[in-house]
Structure formats: C-alpha cells, structure tokens
Amino acid sequence: MITLAVETSCDETALCLYSEEGIVGEVLLSQEIHSQYGGVVPELSAREHTKNLPILLDLLLKRTNFNLKDIDFISFTLTPGLILSLVVGVSFAKALAYTLKKPLVPVHHIEGHIFSVFLEEEVEFPFLSLVISGGHTEIYKVLDFGNYELLGQTLDDAVGECFDKVGRLFGIPYPAGPKIEEVAKRGNPNLKVPKPRVKGLNFSFSGLKTYFKKLKEEGVSKEDALASFQRVVVEFLYEKVERAMELTKIRRVCLVGGVSANSYLREFFLRKSKEEGFELFIPSRKYSTDNAVMIAICGLERFRRGYRASYLINAVPNVPLPEFEEFLKKFKSG
Ligand code: KG4
Ligand code: ZN
C-alpha cells in the first residue's frame, strides 16, 4: 500500500510517497518570500504553492523512479490552516485523484503533528500530546487514532507566534525560532521574568511579548533577553504538562510541532522525564516542523480504517480536532 501525501496548510509545500514500510521519498520547500514581510502573507503563500506543487511532484517522481499510477490513494491536509493555501493543496489532491481514479483521504494538520512521532516509534494509547507550533498551542489527551480530548489551549498567541514576535523585536526575521535558539546560547537565561499566570491547562503568551518589549526599551542585551525568554517559555510549558500528568494520571508525553525542534526545550523535557519518571516522545527535528510524512502516516491509518472521501470534500479554515471524525462522516464516499 502506498500513498502520495500533500501538505500546504501554511508556508511549507511538501509532498511524500509513503508505504507501510516507511518513507519512499519526500520533497519539501520552505517559502522564503515571507521573511521580508515579518510573517506569512496568505495570498503569496497560496501562489507559491500553486507554482511549486507540479515542479515538486516531478522532482519526487524522478528521485524515487516511481510511477504515479502505482499509488493506492492520496492523503492531503484538509484543515486547519490558511484557507487559500489549503485550497491549493486540496484542489491538487482532488485533480490527481480524479485523473488517476484513486481514493482521497483527508487528514487534520494537528493530527498529523500528533502522529509525527509514530514515524520513529509507536506510542501506546492513551498519551498526552503537547502541540506547539506557529499557529497552535494545545494539550490533548489522545485515546486512539481519531479520538482526541482537548485539555487546554492558548487564550491568545500561539507559542511559535510568540517566538516570532519577540524575535522580530530584536531584529530577527521570520521564522525567528531557530535563530533565537542560537542567540540564546550566548546569553544569561536568568533575568527575572514574570511567568504567565493562566488557570487550568490553558496557556497565554501575549503578556510575555509586552514584557520583552519593555526590556528592549530598557536596553537589555539581545542575548540575555532571548535566553531568558526561551527559559521562561519552556518552564511554563513544562508546568502545564506536569499538571496534565497529575490530572489525567497519564505519564506518556509527546512534544510535537515546530517549537518542539528547540534544543533547549528538548533537553529540558528529557532531563525532567528522567528525574520525574515519565515517558517522553519527540520527533526528530526535521519532522517537528511542517512536513508531508506526518500527513501520510495519518492518511494510511484512516485508509486502513476504510475511510474514502467524496469529491464534495473541501478545505475548511478550522475544524476543531475533537470534532474531525464527526465532520468527516458528511463526506464519506459510497
Ligand atoms: O509546526 P510549524 O512548522 O508550522 C505550523 O504549523 O505553525 O511551526 C512553525 C513555528 C514557527 O513559529 C517557528 O518560529 C517555530 O515553529 N520554530 C521554532 C524552532 N524551529 C521552528 N521555535 C523555537 N525553536 C526552534 N528551533
Ligand atoms: Zn504545523
């Protein structure tokens, strides 16, 4: 069984060929055009996807020496994301499905991140998944594939968005996360910074952004500010994960999404997992950020469970993950 997976929810155009044995081949293009604007420009993103998808597919087929006719079905990101960008990927997937007469299998982008860890190892259900990306900061209880309970979420900015905004304050272009990590290595992480205070398992990051704006105006060095910012964010995230483990009595935790590529965060959680005795799973850095492999993993599982979508299915800006299975029932083919 082999699937072609299509991911275009934001500023990465990604395709992959994936079988039950693993990755056959993959291509990924991170759109650089947005760095000059300080963030993703939706219309430009959609235009870049439209331009690049056929070129990338051609490259993938040449590299793998694979005949497109031999795929069994097409997996694609249906939601959530920038609607224009999603529409491009969904249309591309539908056109291929129509031409090749192959089934269509939709995937939720967050579900993709959650199952990105399965590329390298199977995680026993139930587990907790902290989704930390440019658009999302959420903690889920994952009971099974397709069965997700939202335990908490950000009340304002996403954590990756906060990395990008604080980075921008200190002159770092979008996406600032990877560069902040580098700069932070040279700074003092122990500046006094008030940790965000939010009830339950929810998160908030907008106060931090305002606090660092003030520190910048007071003349604090970029290195010290960013090292302290990174420390406070990671401690705050850990505090919530610790609370979620207490409340659910589940001691299996996955960290997924772009921010989970951060080395300081990975080392911090790894140390805690050893000290406190819980299981920790983090995808390799390459699969923390957006990619098509995570979409293929979920597509394959949904296909195995018998789901095929009708041509009526269309991109949606945001279907909450716990409602996704119910939403899909309306578009089941046959
Ligand atoms: O998961 P992702 O690729 O796209 C979304 O679904 O949003 O996440 C992108 C986010 C950006 O905000 C980026 O700054 C952040 O992940 N990011 C990082 C690192 N690498 C990417 N943040 C902190 N440290 C990193 N090494
Ligand atoms: Zn993502």
Side-chain angles (χ1 to χ4, degrees), residues 64 148 299 312:
T64 52
Y148 316 98
L312 287 175

Side-chain angles (χ1 to χ4, degrees), residues 195-208:
K195 208 176 283 174
R197 280 150 68 92
V198 201
K199 282 210 178 110
L201 296 178
N202 290 329
F203 304 86
S204 168
F205 295 97
S206 61
L208 272 182

Side-chain angles (χ1 to χ4, degrees), residues 12 109 113 133-135 160-161 163-164 175-178 181 257-259 261-262 285 288-290:
E12 260 87 29
H109 181 79
H113 277 303
S133 72
E161 188 182 353
F163 264 89
D164 297 333
E181 182 178 330
V259 179
N262 185 281
R285 291 177 68 132
S288 285
T289 48
D290 287 353

